[in-house]
Amino acid sequence: MTHPLAPPSAYFTGRLETTDPEVHAAIRGEWSRQRDGIELIASENMVSQASLDALGSVLVNKTVEGYPHRRYYGGVEFADAIETLAIERAKTLFGCDYANVQPHSGSQANQAVFLSLLTPGDTILSMSLDAGGHLSHGAPANLTGRWFKPVQYGVATDSGLIDYDEVADLARLHRPRLIICGGSAYPRAIDFARFRVIADEVGACLLADIAHFAGLVAGGQHPSPVGHAHIVTATTYKNLRGVRGGLILTNDAGLAKKIDSAVFPGLQGSTLLNAIAAKAVCLGEALQPEFTLYAERVLTNARALAGMLTDLGITLVTGGTDTPLMLADLRPLGLTGSATSDSLEAAGLTCNKNAVPGDTRPPNVTSGLRFGVSAVTARGFNAEELCATGEWIAEVIHGLAANPDSQSAREARVRHKVLSLCARFPIYPDLP
Ligand SMILES: *Cc1c(COP(=O)(O)O)cnc(C)c1O
């Protein structure tokens, strides 16, 4: 006799809504929040229903260690097919010879690069956090900063741009084994060829982390680091418009071998097979001609928003953008990133506070805001909607600076306009 919870009991057949109303209610709440607000957090996007289908599939039941045709468990026929599809699509999309699609996140992709190339105590050269770098590039609080010796370059304070001569000088002085370019809040195109010249001069390996603009690279709207950097890491869930996860790419067979061993067994155990299937879906979508239109539109939209904000008196670091993101400097208005992002959120405009180059405020306060357009572009916004969005952002920001007493009424007014715009751009029409 089977036990009471065996199939076909409600344990197996009941939907979340009835079996766990508390979790279901929170997911419903999050869905309404996404549907009814303008999502400008640069690290977010909106995935296809097909991605959600793959992620929420029976693949979650499978444990798979190793690589296709070199596994440590049985029953891997379909797992091998799925991971091979993801690898082949990544190679085609980015035009490279090797791809590892297993990293659970972008940070783990970067950790795998550290593990494959370095020993603790080795010197690395990367962009500092306040200039727009990433925690996993050697920030003091991160494993990469605690176990390795980071030397960090910033950006020129007047222009906000990478000073390549400074990078070259630091490289000559400190002889790093690894140089990292690419960041979380750097809005301009990176000169990968120049970075490679610097790396070659000191015998360093060059890592390009394209987490924030991987979709633009895939869609031909940003120069590709493939062929310049020895290794490229990316996330699938930001500008690439897929589920959460990381990728590592290279053209070097020797490095590819080291990277594979660093991801498994060096850093991770079993793959998240459902996530790998969803990555395959995302990479397949990015290979469709429509994705080029998406990438083009992301760039047009980013520039439309940047232009509107600038016209309305909001200072942008570097004065604009070549990527999906831009960074507003609130110091001329005397505002903090934390208070301003709270007010924008109350108005239905979600973004994040962010340090600006030379910021003296702590990371939980900051003097800047980061805006990205990947998510709103995915839901169908065009330049017209981004211009409206820019006007509303400016209305909230200038209101907070000039007349904070009436701010809650102002937030409510903007919130109303945001809601009616969002109603015209449904995301998942079948979701209640
Ligand atoms: C987002 C990001 C990552 C990865 O972050 P996870 O949260 O670990 O996925 C890595 N590098 C850069 C530059 C990023 O912006």
Side-chain angles (χ1 to χ4, degrees), residues 57 164 191 206 345:
S57 66
Y164 292 91
D191 187 345
L206 177 64
E345 180 162 0

Side-chain angles (χ1 to χ4, degrees), residues 171-194:
R172 287 182 199 120
L173 186 64
H174 297 280
R175 317 292 299 184
R177 294 200 59 181
L178 175 67
I179 298 178
I180 308 178
C181 61
S184 294
Y186 187 70
R188 291 299 184 173
I190 292 167
D191 187 345
F192 299 117
R194 182 79 202 275

Side-chain angles (χ1 to χ4, degrees), residues 43 105-108 110 134 136-137 182-184 209 211-212 235 237-238 244:
S43 50
S105 73
S107 294
Q108 270 168 312
N110 288 336
H134 189 257
S136 63
H137 296 182
S184 294
D209 180 346
H212 267 282
T235 55
Y237 63 89
K238 292 176 183 167
R244 312 194 74 80

